[in-house]
Amino acid sequence: MTARRRGATLRFAIFLAPNMLPVYRFLADRIGDRLGCPVELVVGSSFDQFERGQADLGVICGLPYVWLAAHRPRPVEPLAAPVLVGERYGGHPVYYSNVIVHRDSPITRIPQLQGRSWAYNEPASHSGHTVTLYELVHIDARPGFFSSVVEAGFHQRAIRLVADLAGLDAAVWVVAALTAASGLVVAVRMYETHRPTAQS
């Protein structure tokens, strides 16, 4: 969090999926109430905003946090990590990457995706991008493994674009499933969950 004069508006930058906006609004309101100052919710455009003093606090994925924390001086410090409700979380701040495919897809394992298409949100996403790359390394996949790769921009769009495969943050999947009236999860199913990742 950058140094700000007492009572000044804090800029709370968000970089995660748009379907999480109500959660971020709730957080911003609670933080403002607790600190006794206004909190402005802004959609982040670059993780460098923390270094440039353009964001006072924010919610970011674990991978960009690791990148930022390696800078000297360190422009970010972890304040909190979410603990999601559910047996698989065990009361700990971990998250999963859910792998989804079309509801009627016969795919049940990563090797079956050779020659298929993959939609991911963005390269800076651990759950939507890096975890899948890690799994591909484990099966010794080579460049060209997928017939096409689409950068969706964010998890919700990856769900809409699900070609043959998409990876996404489990929290985004839960919110999408809870708001199924949007039609996002009607045509897809979760077929695999990558191992949990500890949050900082």
Side-chain angles (χ1 to χ4, degrees):
M1 206 161 91
T2 60
R4 305 280 283 168
R5 71 181 190 279
R6 189 171 180 81
T9 299
L10 292 176
R11 293 158 302 194
F12 183 3
I14 58 170
F15 295 87
L16 303 176
N19 71 331
M20 299 292 287
L21 195 56
V23 175
Y24 306 142
R25 283 197 183 112
F26 173 80
L27 283 174
D29 290 345
R30 289 296 299 266
I31 291 167
D33 290 346
R34 286 289 182 97
L35 298 179
C37 65
V39 176
E40 177 188 7
L41 196 61
V42 295
V43 176
S45 58
S46 166
F47 299 119
D48 294 340
Q49 288 175 268
F50 293 103
E51 291 185 290
R52 294 192 305 257
Q54 297 171 344
D56 301 300
L57 65 156
V59 178
I60 61 175
C61 183
L63 186 56
Y65 166 74
V66 170
W67 295 340
L68 288 169
H71 294 192
R72 296 294 178 259
R74 183 185 298 194
V76 294
E77 291 292 336
L79 297 177
V83 178
L84 300 179
V85 175
E87 186 177 327
R88 73 178 176 169
Y89 301 101
H92 298 288
V94 297
Y95 71 91
Y96 292 82
S97 174
N98 290 342
V99 179
I100 62 172
V101 295
H102 277 289
R103 184 177 52 196
D104 58 353
S105 172
I107 295 168
T108 58
R109 299 179 306 113
I110 291 277
Q112 294 173 304
L113 290 161
Q114 187 162 9
R116 305 290 190 113
S117 54
W118 171 39
Y120 68 95
N121 59 329
E122 61 165 328
S125 172
H126 181 64
S127 59
H129 184 255
T130 309
V131 171
T132 299
L133 293 180
Y134 177 80
E135 295 296 327
L136 292 173
V137 167
H138 272 269
I139 65 165
D140 202 28
R142 297 287 182 236
F145 178 82
F146 293 115
S147 62
S148 66
V149 176
V150 178
E151 183 177 339
F154 52 89
H155 289 302
Q156 273 175 288
R157 189 158 183 256
I159 295 172
R160 286 190 183 99
L161 290 177
V162 77
D164 292 305
L165 164 80
L168 55 135
D169 187 298
V172 174
W173 175 256
V174 168
V175 172
L178 290 174
T179 58
S182 67
L184 281 180
V185 299
V186 172
V188 297
R189 66 177 170 82
M190 184 173 65
Y191 91 85
E192 182 173 315
T193 299
H194 292 306
R195 59 184 61 85
T197 303
Q199 298 195 59
S200 301

